[in-house]
Amino acid sequence: MSRPLRWLLGAVVLAAAVIALIAWRGLRVDAPHDGATPVPRIAADISDPVARGAYLARAANCRGCHSARGDEPYAGGRQIPTPFGTFRSPNITPDPETGIGKWSDTDFWHALHDGRGPDGAPLYPVFPYTHYTRVDRQDSDALFAYLRSLPPVDRKNRPHQLKFPYDQRWLLVAWRALFFRAGTFEVQADRDANWNRGAYLTQGLGHCGACHEARNALGAIVSDEDPAGGVVLDWYAPSLRASDGAGVAHWSHEQVVALLRDGVSAHGSTMGPMAEVVYESLQHLHAEDLSAMAAYLRALPQSEGESAPRVASAAHEGDKAWERGASNYAKHCADCHGDRGEGKEDPGYPALAGNRAVTMRSPVNPIRAVLYGGYAPGTAGNPAPLGMPPYHATLSDQEIAEILGYVRGSWGNAARPIASFEVTRQRTGPLW
């Protein structure tokens, strides 16, 4: 055999080996889990598996994603915009033809743990099995028992509308080979039971990292150590490990619990998708679970990386856009937020001076708050929420950019200005 033919044959063999390895890693399925690995037992006092599953479904906020607004609960159809296109959540009621009525408890377990459907097809990771893989079999079975108890809804699933090549599901084999490993929750022996309980809820059922962890261009989590979040449902979810983002290590335990339970606290309030999480899920959790989540979140190591680069105040001298922003701020904003951004004692009128939500590197959230307004959720601790009125029909993109540029650079704030095209990009509709 000639040398060129040997080189060609070697290349073919190597390519076949690489393809086989990718296929094996991307298509493998774990053996059914026996539930022997100990995890913190959530809602252990609820003996009925259906009732316990209902509580776990609340903790996981299953209804939030699998229910279209104003439609039947869990019947799917909610649109989930992403950089790859629009996903539509599936029907998970027990209808035998359009839902999960023909699934077994092991099928459901493999969906959560392995990210695979009953036919073995890999699921898109917009379904956060990358986090649910930590949920143990007993909790999976309780969740499935609850879903099986729901009224069946005959509602066909609508197809996703994805860009090429993300609409090619077979490519998920390579994605899984590169970025996904099925796992289990590992109790940390050097941490107390409360921390481990909070870790299990936050890392697994609550899948907080699905929004608050940095991702690469293919949507895979880069590292849970990376102090950067990402845009989710058109809002920015800052890192839970960033003291200048969503980190709460410097808050008191009670303040963190208040934010999770009520949607408001002395240090801030929730808006957008996080307000929905509080409304649909967190406010319904038991006090011990909220306390455990707060303990875990407060113990996360903190770094910086969310704040926008600082701009010297001298840069604004003689800036006409700055002056127009100051004038419009006085006209539209000062009555609620104060002449110097000092706010009021009521969380509905937050201070803008020193407000990390205003000065983050990503300006998405303040832009969307001004465009479409926003309210903290109505909860027992916040029964009459005050909120931000929308200005998308009142102010131009340039005016909004100038107001936010003024806010981000005043009263000790020193973040960069905002360009009008950044406002224009956010005119996609409120979603909330």
Side-chain angles (χ1 to χ4, degrees), residues 162-244:
L162 306 180
K163 305 171 186 176
F164 181 83
Y166 310 111
D167 58 348
Q168 304 298 304
R169 188 181 286 267
W170 63 270
L171 290 175
L172 286 172
V173 174
W175 188 94
R176 291 164 58 89
L178 291 170
F179 303 120
F180 174 66
R181 302 289 180 272
T184 57
F185 178 78
E186 300 291 341
V187 171
Q188 301 297 308
D190 60 339
R191 296 284 192 171
D192 63 22
N194 196 47
W195 183 95
N196 277 291
R197 186 184 191 87
Y200 181 67
L201 280 163
T202 304
Q203 296 175 7
L205 280 170
H207 61 284
C208 302
C211 293
H212 289 281
E213 291 173 344
R215 295 178 180 269
N216 64 19
L218 294 177
I221 294 170
V222 176
S223 169
D224 60 4
E225 304 274 344
D226 194 333
V231 175
V232 180
L233 295 173
D234 287 347
W235 285 71
Y236 185 73
S239 171
L240 298 170
R241 296 176 177 270
S243 57
D244 54 354

Side-chain angles (χ1 to χ4, degrees), residues 37-333:
T37 302
V39 300
R41 191 56 57 203
I42 308 302
D45 58 326
I46 303 177
S47 58
D48 178 57
V50 172
R52 186 165 174 273
Y55 181 82
L56 297 177
R58 281 283 198 186
N61 194 24
C62 302
R63 175 172 171 165
C65 282
H66 288 278
S67 307
R69 178 171 293 178
D71 212 335
E72 295 287 344
Y74 298 99
R78 179 163 188 173
Q79 296 189 50
I80 304 173
T82 76
F84 315 107
T86 300
F87 290 88
R88 291 185 173 88
S89 60
N91 181 350
I92 57 171
T93 71
D95 183 77
E97 301 302 326
T98 64
I100 60 172
K102 294 180 178 179
W103 288 33
S104 69
D105 53 2
T106 298
D107 291 334
F108 187 75
W109 159 252
H110 280 307
L112 264 64
H113 185 68
D114 300 308
R116 302 179 69 86
D119 59 355
L123 303 176
Y124 280 104
V126 68
F127 172 63
Y129 60 82
T130 51
H131 295 78
Y132 288 155
T133 190
R134 297 180 178 90
V135 175
D136 89 324
R137 181 62 188 261
Q138 185 174 332
D139 287 348
S140 172
D141 288 349
L143 278 166
F144 186 65
Y146 168 66
L147 294 176
R148 292 279 295 177
S149 75
L150 297 172
V153 178
D154 183 3
R155 181 75 49 77
K156 290 184 178 180
N157 294 320
R158 298 176 62 191
H160 307 311
Q161 291 187 330
L162 306 180
K163 305 171 186 176
F164 181 83
Y166 310 111
D167 58 348
Q168 304 298 304
R169 188 181 286 267
W170 63 270
L171 290 175
L172 286 172
V173 174
W175 188 94
R176 291 164 58 89
L178 291 170
F179 303 120
F180 174 66
R181 302 289 180 272
T184 57
F185 178 78
E186 300 291 341
V187 171
Q188 301 297 308
D190 60 339
R191 296 284 192 171
D192 63 22
N194 196 47
W195 183 95
N196 277 291
R197 186 184 191 87
Y200 181 67
L201 280 163
T202 304
Q203 296 175 7
L205 280 170
H207 61 284
C208 302
C211 293
H212 289 281
E213 291 173 344
R215 295 178 180 269
N216 64 19
L218 294 177
I221 294 170
V222 176
S223 169
D224 60 4
E225 304 274 344
D226 194 333
V231 175
V232 180
L233 295 173
D234 287 347
W235 285 71
Y236 185 73
S239 171
L240 298 170
R241 296 176 177 270
S243 57
D244 54 354
V248 293
H250 59 292
W251 293 23
S252 72
H253 185 86
E254 293 73 19
Q255 289 166 345
V256 181
V257 170
L259 186 73
L260 298 175
R261 182 192 61 222
D262 304 329
V264 296
S265 77
H267 281 304
S269 61
T270 58
M271 294 176 66
M274 189 62 201
E276 180 183 314
V277 170
V278 172
Y279 181 78
E280 293 281 356
S281 173
L282 296 178
Q283 70 163 321
H284 303 285
L285 299 190
H286 297 164
E288 63 180 340
D289 290 331
L290 292 171
S291 180
M293 292 180 74
Y296 171 77
L297 292 171
R298 292 186 68 235
L300 287 173
Q302 300 289 291
S303 58
E304 295 184 354
E306 292 281 20
S307 294
R310 295 184 67 83
V311 177
S313 58
H316 306 304
E317 294 178 3
D319 187 334
K320 296 300 182 184
W322 175 271
E323 294 173 2
R324 291 192 298 269
S327 176
N328 274 323
Y329 175 86
K331 179 179 178 181
H332 297 285
C333 315

Side-chain angles (χ1 to χ4, degrees), residues 231 236 306-308 357-366 408 416:
V231 175
Y236 185 73
E306 292 281 20
S307 294
V358 170
T359 58
M360 283 191 294
R361 184 182 301 272
S362 170
V364 165
N365 292 353
R408 281 162 61 90
R416 68 166 178 84

